């Protein structure tokens, strides 16, 4: 059994606990049967960086080639090395295609079969606050093709009130850090699915955000970071911080139209 993992970031101690009960990770609905042309096989060249070592407030240029059909989304993803694990994603965001297309009012990228990608990375992280309490927030962008100020960031984790049964929740925040939507998921007896509901935050509730763990063999598992207590008249908000010193892995992630992911990573030391 994996032990608790600890790290210190800007004098703040973060503890990561491997998740033992994976039932709580069940999706909110059954996945549809996978059919072509959704699936894709991709070739991603190992990313090359303009420098393999930068300061915490610095930036780096990254280049990579992606070849293949049925490319859905392409992301930047950074993971932090803690002991024998990569943990995160500390940072994740969309990479934008040269061309877009709009379907039913929603903007989607339109990638070619062969793509030369270059982007600038300024490493950063996020902390979630409620009053004096804090925890690490590995957030995911929800909307492709919107202005940065219009982006919505989501964060999932385990919610618990009193001595009740813990359940999964999804919190959504705007780009200024304010909470705009909260959804809980309770298990149901129908086909093993879970039922979403509007979450009401009560005094003394706790929230433990999810975090991804990748071991030396490349095996992926889920953990939670230290819980944050809610209420007390305090708003739940995230704040951006400079990346803490350490070894990171800068990754390019390609999703096909079925959500299958392919990754390539390169190390980056942040002083």
């Amino acid at each position: 059994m994996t032990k608790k993992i600890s790290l210190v970031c800007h004098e703040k101690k973060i503890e990561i606990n491997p998740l033992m009960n994976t039932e709580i990770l069940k999706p909110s609905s059954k996945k549809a049967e996978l059919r072509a042309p959704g699936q894709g096989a991709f070739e991603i060249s190992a990313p090359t960086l303009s420098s393999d070592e930068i300061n915490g407030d610095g930036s780096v240029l990254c280049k990579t080639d992606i070849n293949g059909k049925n490319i859905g989304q392409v992301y930047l993803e950074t993971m932090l090395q803690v002991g024998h694990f990569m943990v995160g994603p500390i940072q994740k965001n969309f990479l934008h295609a040269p061309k877009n297309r709009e379907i039913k009012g929603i903007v989607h990228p339109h990638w070619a079969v062969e793509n030369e990608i270059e982007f600038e990375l300024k490493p950063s992280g996020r902390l979630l606050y409620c009053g004096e309490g804090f925890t690490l927030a590995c957030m995911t962008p929800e909307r492709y093709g919107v202005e940065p100020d219009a982006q919505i960031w989501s964060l999932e984790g385990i919610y618990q009130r009193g001595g009740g049964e813990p359940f999964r929740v999804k919190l959504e925040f705007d780009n200024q850090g304010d909470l705009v939507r909260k959804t809980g998921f309770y298990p149901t007896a129908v086909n093993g699915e879970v039922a979403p509901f509007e979450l009401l935050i009560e005094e003394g509730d706790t929230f433990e955000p999810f975090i991804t763990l990748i071991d030396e063999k490349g095996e992926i598992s889920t953990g939670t970071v230290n819980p944050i207590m809610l209420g007390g008249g305090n708003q739940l908000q995230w704040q951006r911080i400079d990346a803490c010193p350490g070894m990171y892995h800068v990754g390019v992630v390609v999703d096909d139209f079925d959500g299958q992911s392919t990754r390539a990573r390169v190390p980056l030391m942040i002083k």
Side-chain angles (χ1 to χ4, degrees):
M1 183 174 64
T2 305
K3 297 180 180 179
K4 183 182 295 185
I5 303 166
S6 298
L7 64 106
V8 176
C9 184
H10 300 302
E11 301 182 350
K12 295 183 181 296
K13 185 177 181 180
I14 304 295
E15 293 188 335
I16 301 169
N17 289 290
L19 189 62
M20 298 294 109
N21 178 17
T22 56
E23 286 292 309
I24 206 165
L25 297 175
K26 281 187 176 180
S28 56
S29 62
K30 283 189 171 181
K31 290 186 178 180
E33 182 182 353
L34 303 182
R35 293 189 180 93
Q39 297 172 335
F42 311 109
E43 293 180 0
I44 310 176
S45 66
T48 59
L49 303 178
S50 56
S51 176
D52 58 7
E53 185 176 285
I54 62 173
N55 293 322
D57 58 354
S59 63
V60 62
L61 288 176
C62 181
K63 296 181 180 180
T64 187
D65 295 331
I66 300 175
N67 301 324
K69 297 180 179 180
N70 303 321
I71 298 174
Q73 290 286 2
V74 181
Y75 299 90
L76 150 75
E77 180 183 77
T78 61
M79 305 287 287
L80 173 62
Q81 187 74 41
V82 183
H84 300 295
F85 290 89
M86 288 187 286
V87 302
I90 303 299
Q91 194 171 5
K92 185 171 184 176
N93 212 342
F94 295 108
L95 294 178
H96 291 270
K99 297 181 180 180
N100 294 329
R101 55 187 172 185
E102 189 171 316
I103 302 173
K104 295 182 179 180
I106 299 175
V107 177
H108 300 267
H110 184 61
W111 295 97
V113 175
E114 297 182 355
N115 305 275
E116 294 182 0
I117 297 177
E118 180 176 347
F119 59 92
E120 182 179 12
L121 166 65
K122 181 175 175 54
S124 64
R126 289 181 176 87
L127 291 177
L128 187 66
Y129 284 92
C130 189
E132 296 299 317
F134 67 89
T135 192
L136 184 66
C138 296
M139 307 184 92
T140 301
E142 291 284 301
R143 301 174 180 174
Y144 174 86
V146 300
E147 293 296 322
D149 285 347
Q151 187 59 268
I152 297 296
W153 299 89
S154 66
L155 179 64
E156 295 197 30
I158 297 176
Y159 201 91
Q160 191 166 17
R161 49 175 51 116
E165 189 73 17
F167 55 91
R168 182 169 64 90
V169 301
K170 179 179 180 179
L171 305 180
E172 296 174 67
F173 299 82
D174 64 21
N175 204 52
Q176 287 69 51
D178 295 323
L179 182 63
V180 295
R181 186 175 296 107
K182 5 183 234 309
T183 307
F185 300 93
Y186 271 140
T188 67
V190 182
N191 298 323
E193 298 180 15
V194 295
F197 63 94
E198 175 69 20
L199 177 69
L200 296 176
I201 294 177
E202 298 179 359
E203 182 77 22
D205 292 355
T206 59
F207 174 62
E208 299 174 65
F210 289 143
I211 191 168
T212 297
L213 309 174
I214 305 176
D215 66 15
E216 294 172 304
K217 299 178 181 178
E219 295 179 350
I220 300 174
S221 59
T222 301
T224 59
V225 291
N226 44 294
I228 185 170
M229 183 169 288
L230 311 180
N234 299 304
Q235 299 296 317
L236 193 59
Q237 291 185 315
W238 65 261
Q239 294 180 15
R240 196 184 308 272
I241 59 170
D242 289 338
C244 54
M247 177 60 73
Y248 288 76
H249 300 267
V250 177
V252 175
V253 184
V254 179
D255 285 354
D256 65 17
F257 293 126
D258 285 330
Q260 312 283 341
S261 299
T262 305
R263 289 173 166 83
R265 297 187 179 92
V266 66
L268 172 66
M269 176 61 73
I270 297 181
K271 299 184 290 184

